[in-house]
Amino acid sequence: MPVSFGDFNKSNQDLFKGFCTKKSTTTFTAKSDNQTVKTELAKKSGSVAGYLKLTRNFDFSKFNFGLNVKATSGGGLEVEETLSKLPVEGVTLKFKNSEGVGCCDCISTQVEYADDNANCSLDFAKCNCTKSGHENHKINFAATFQYENFTFGGMFKASELKADEKKFSHSGGLGYSGDNYWLYAFGKDMKDITVGYNHTFEKKTNFGVELCHFKAEDKDDELTVGANHKIDDDNSFKGKYNSSGVLAFAYSTKFAKQVGGTVGINLDMNDSSKAANVGWGLDFKF
């Protein structure tokens, strides 16, 4: 099955995050056969926020029903229902309702279809957003197709802003996969273009590079390079640098079978007067 269009650069995006420098977190996760309970507390800019998330799967004779409920410390609630393994093979239905999460309250319905050579989705969303410039109604269609080692696809989105202004956008992309690497390029509205490369060496070292070109004159192009090295089963080290001058490192380890931790540091190489930003993360799994 080809990657979805929104996941063209997921391998690099996953590599470039997880440094814990934007916020320090403590996470507790408890799993059983059909359900997961996860809670996270995060400290950012002196304030503490968090969420509690429950995931539960129900297997029936003709379909599978998944339920995700997320409650935030700020009073927000997000509920997502998923219907999969339907009589029509490859089709998945998703329904999502969120209130008080972010700046918008939204209701959305998504239809997905996936097989060995295609990955398509159609998304309808209605939002009540008070923030200027944000979309209140939108229709999004995305599709990717795979032929041998090539993956190609695109996305079309039609939306309505709060001031009854219509907005249309389209994107297209092409990727090529080898045994241990993924090469991709995609563009939005024939303006912004992103190209990237991700390679895994001997299942221990993951390297990635991504270049984003922006047509807008007030936005500089951005190059990001990162790598993660797995020292052993319990320890890993990662780093990244981007052209805006941000250099970051993180070290992750397992203290015990059910306890892991990460410490990260972020440096601004363009301004030596700025103090290093240090963060940490603790992860408890039961």
Side-chain angles (χ1 to χ4, degrees):
M1 179 179 71
V3 299
S4 65
F5 186 78
D7 288 341
F8 253 60
N9 64 337
K10 186 178 185 301
S11 56
N12 272 340
Q13 291 302 303
D14 289 344
L15 178 63
F16 298 154
K17 66 183 182 182
F19 290 85
C20 300
T21 52
K22 292 185 178 180
K23 59 181 181 181
S24 296
T25 61
T26 302
T27 305
F28 298 87
T29 305
K31 289 186 177 182
S32 63
D33 291 340
N34 292 313
Q35 70 179 21
T36 301
V37 179
K38 181 178 180 180
T39 182
E40 180 182 282
L41 295 175
K43 183 179 180 182
K44 182 179 180 180
S45 303
S47 62
V48 178
Y51 67 83
L52 174 66
K53 185 176 181 180
L54 170 65
T55 302
R56 183 76 166 90
N57 290 318
F58 302 87
D59 290 318
F60 298 99
S61 59
K62 293 187 177 180
F63 64 92
N64 177 278
F65 176 72
L67 177 66
N68 283 303
V69 180
K70 180 180 179 180
T72 68
S73 57
L77 181 65
E78 185 176 273
V79 180
E80 182 180 76
E81 302 94 6
T82 303
L83 293 174
S84 59
K85 297 182 180 178
L86 297 168
V88 181
E89 187 176 353
V91 174
T92 300
L93 303 178
K94 293 183 179 181
F95 309 93
K96 189 174 182 179
N97 187 4
S98 62
E99 295 182 5
V101 179
C103 64
C104 302
D105 296 339
C106 291
I107 299 175
S108 66
T109 300
Q110 186 178 68
V111 182
E112 297 180 349
Y113 172 78
D115 60 23
D116 292 340
N117 300 308
N119 192 335
C120 308
S121 66
L122 181 62
D123 185 17
F124 304 87
K126 181 179 180 181
C127 302
N128 180 20
C129 189
T130 58
K131 194 169 183 179
S132 176
H134 279 225
E135 303 157 340
N136 276 346
H137 304 84
K138 60 183 179 181
I139 299 175
N140 187 77
F141 175 73
T144 55
F145 304 93
Q146 184 172 311
Y147 176 73
E148 295 183 350
N149 291 56
F150 290 94
T151 300
F152 57 94
M155 180 177 67
F156 175 79
K157 181 168 71 173
S159 57
E160 182 181 70
L161 305 182
K162 187 171 181 61
D164 294 329
E165 177 187 352
K166 302 290 191 301
K167 181 181 178 181
F168 301 94
S169 64
H170 59 277
S171 306
L174 176 66
Y176 182 86
S177 60
D179 291 337
N180 300 305
Y181 64 89
W182 170 245
L183 177 66
Y184 61 87
F186 60 89
K188 180 179 179 182
D189 295 332
M190 303 303 291
K191 297 178 182 178
D192 302 338
I193 299 174
T194 299
V195 295
Y197 177 75
N198 186 278
H199 197 128
T200 299
F201 300 89
E202 298 181 353
K203 299 182 179 180
K204 288 186 176 182
T205 303
N206 182 221
F207 168 81
V209 57
E210 183 174 274
L211 173 65
C212 301
H213 168 71
F214 304 102
K215 192 173 182 180
E217 295 181 357
D218 60 344
K219 200 169 184 179
D220 294 331
D221 295 348
E222 186 172 275
L223 174 68
T224 305
V225 181
N228 180 73
H229 178 67
K230 187 176 180 181
I231 302 170
D232 54 37
D233 291 340
D234 296 331
N235 299 276
S236 64
F237 179 79
K238 68 189 306 182
K240 73 171 181 178
Y241 177 78
N242 66 32
S243 54
S244 62
V246 176
L247 178 66
F249 299 101
Y251 175 75
S252 299
T253 187
K254 278 188 177 181
F255 305 110
K257 183 178 180 181
Q258 297 169 324
V259 184
T262 298
V263 60
I265 184 170
N266 194 335
L267 304 169
D268 189 339
M269 305 303 292
N270 292 332
D271 189 350
S272 58
S273 64
K274 286 186 179 180
N277 188 12
V278 180
W280 50 265
L282 285 175
D283 190 13
F284 298 84
K285 293 182 180 180
F286 305 96

